[in-house]
Amino acid sequence: MDIIIGFVCTATGGGAGTWQRIDENYNAITTTAATFNNHPTYAGVVAQTIDGQAMMKVPKYYLKTGTVPSGTYAGKRYWMVSDQPVSGFSVHPAFMNVGAQIDQFWVGKYQGTNDGGTKLGSAAAVMPLVSIDFPTMQARATARNTGGVTGFGLWNIYQLSAIQTLALIEIGGSDSQTLVGQGHVSGSSALAVDNATVAQATWRGIVGLWGNVWQMVDGLQTDASSKYMIWDKNGNKTYKTTSLTAPAGNYPITMATATGTDYDLATVFAAETTNATAGNGTYGDYFYQSPSCVAYHGGYWSDGANAGLFSLYVHYAASHSNTAIGGRLAKV
């Protein structure tokens, strides 16, 4: 039996929007912690150790998103998730790999750490790996794929968005700092990846989802004209130049929904419209973009209220490195 839970943005703006959980018929529902703990997808987010690394398994689910066709919330943007294939739903692209569906992906329980000086790891009680550029971070992640180990890489925009979608519905809104925890966003330097302050920003065992250090994210870039480029939705890691130019860096009001051959921006959280005033935003966090840049997520140790689950900077060239920029390991 499929279990469908939805979420609708009933009003944009106000700093963090107004939201309501809905059923498959777009009717308002009341949920409890048990609603999510008994849902196979949410319950399936569990810790596993793979190749000696602390990982979190995220099981395959199906997504439906668009605007509500009629009724109380007609015209409002919604997201729905189902643990089973249902008419109108598509497998979330995080669960596509080389054209085929996969049953799960794994993401590092912690922000990326240094494993032996050559590999990206995920381990407690150490500092995040920083001060290397994007290609080097990618190489450190894929360096795990040796001796029969396969599937490791830097986490990507689809894996991030799969987590964001589930978390958004469960926490009941977009202001993650208020609804979950502030995280390490008002300090002067990075802390260990499992530090109690960093761990305030934890959802279902995934620690430090925002704050502490920026986390490089594969699969999303801007081109020389600031148009979004995103990996194809079939898991081939082929960049598609989209029809949408990223907006000016500000607070997101709406997220992108542009579609094209083999891509659908509605499956991720990339800003479409923004406003310079935080109180006019819908997602509680900050977005910034520059042309010909790669993506970073979550904010860092002194970003304050701008950091969070939906903070996204497509702002630095791949060659950039910084003490405030790290990554996160993933595996398919």
Side-chain angles (χ1 to χ4, degrees):
M1 176 181 174
D2 58 84
I3 303 177
I4 296 171
I5 304 177
F7 207 44
V8 61
C9 182
T10 61
T12 59
T18 306
W19 306 82
Q20 173 62 50
R21 297 187 187 98
I22 53 174
D23 63 17
E24 64 268 34
N25 297 313
Y26 312 102
N27 297 316
I29 57 171
T30 300
T31 58
T32 65
T35 304
F36 296 95
N37 291 335
N38 294 332
H39 191 286
T41 302
Y42 287 88
V45 181
V46 294
Q48 295 185 335
T49 301
I50 306 174
D51 194 35
Q53 306 310 299
M55 307 295 288
M56 298 298 299
K57 184 178 81 170
V58 181
K60 179 172 66 176
Y61 70 84
Y62 300 82
L63 175 70
K64 182 180 178 183
T65 183
T67 54
V68 177
S70 60
T72 303
Y73 307 118
K76 305 297 185 181
R77 176 83 190 272
Y78 75 88
W79 297 257
M80 289 183 188
V81 299
S82 172
D83 63 304
Q84 298 293 325
V86 181
S87 178
F89 286 69
S90 299
V91 67
H92 193 287
F95 305 99
M96 294 295 296
N97 185 44
V98 198
Q101 292 188 24
I102 54 177
D103 289 334
Q104 68 276 307
F105 68 82
W106 293 265
V107 67
K109 180 178 179 68
Y110 305 106
Q111 295 173 351
T113 56
N114 181 14
D115 183 10
T118 59
K119 297 178 181 179
L120 182 63
S122 176
V126 292
M127 298 297 288
L129 175 62
V130 297
S131 299
I132 59 176
D133 65 19
F134 202 97
T136 304
M137 190 71 77
Q138 291 172 308
R140 295 279 185 97
T142 58
R144 303 212 70 89
N145 299 322
T146 184
V149 176
T150 62
F152 277 101
L154 181 65
W155 75 334
N156 65 58
I157 190 65
Y158 291 120
Q159 293 163 342
L160 169 61
S161 68
I163 293 166
Q164 288 171 314
T165 301
L166 293 175
L168 175 68
I169 298 172
E170 183 174 19
I171 69 177
S174 60
D175 187 353
S176 56
Q177 287 197 34
T178 297
L179 296 168
V180 178
Q182 187 176 51
H184 182 41
V185 299
S186 57
S188 57
S189 62
L191 298 172
V193 294
D194 64 339
N195 180 278
T197 302
V198 176
Q200 291 171 4
T202 297
W203 174 80
R204 291 211 166 247
I206 305 172
V207 181
L209 265 177
W210 57 89
N212 201 34
V213 293
W214 285 103
Q215 298 162 73
M216 299 178 188
V217 180
D218 218 341
L220 182 72
Q221 301 180 359
T222 49
D223 72 3
S225 301
S226 285
K227 284 189 174 179
Y228 286 120
M229 300 171 61
I230 193 168
W231 278 354
D232 73 280
K233 62 183 180 181
N234 299 311
N236 297 305
K237 301 181 180 179
T238 302
Y239 273 101
K240 302 292 180 179
T241 301
T242 73
S243 60
L244 183 65
T245 300
N250 277 312
Y251 297 91
I253 299 172
T254 59
M255 294 290 181
T257 59
T259 61
T261 303
D262 291 335
Y263 75 83
D264 182 356
L265 288 178
T267 62
V268 301
F269 292 89
E272 178 164 351
T273 62
T274 59
N275 189 275
T277 302
N280 293 332
T282 304
Y283 289 83
D285 305 323
Y286 199 76
F287 168 82
Y288 200 87
Q289 66 87 11
S290 296
S292 301
C293 289
V294 293
Y296 305 86
H297 171 260
Y300 78 114
W301 63 72
S302 68
D303 258 349
N306 286 350
L309 182 64
F310 295 99
S311 179
L312 182 68
Y313 271 39
V314 195
H315 178 47
Y316 289 116
S319 58
H320 184 77
S321 64
N322 193 293
T323 58
I325 300 174
R328 190 178 288 262
L329 191 63
K331 185 186 184 300
V332 296

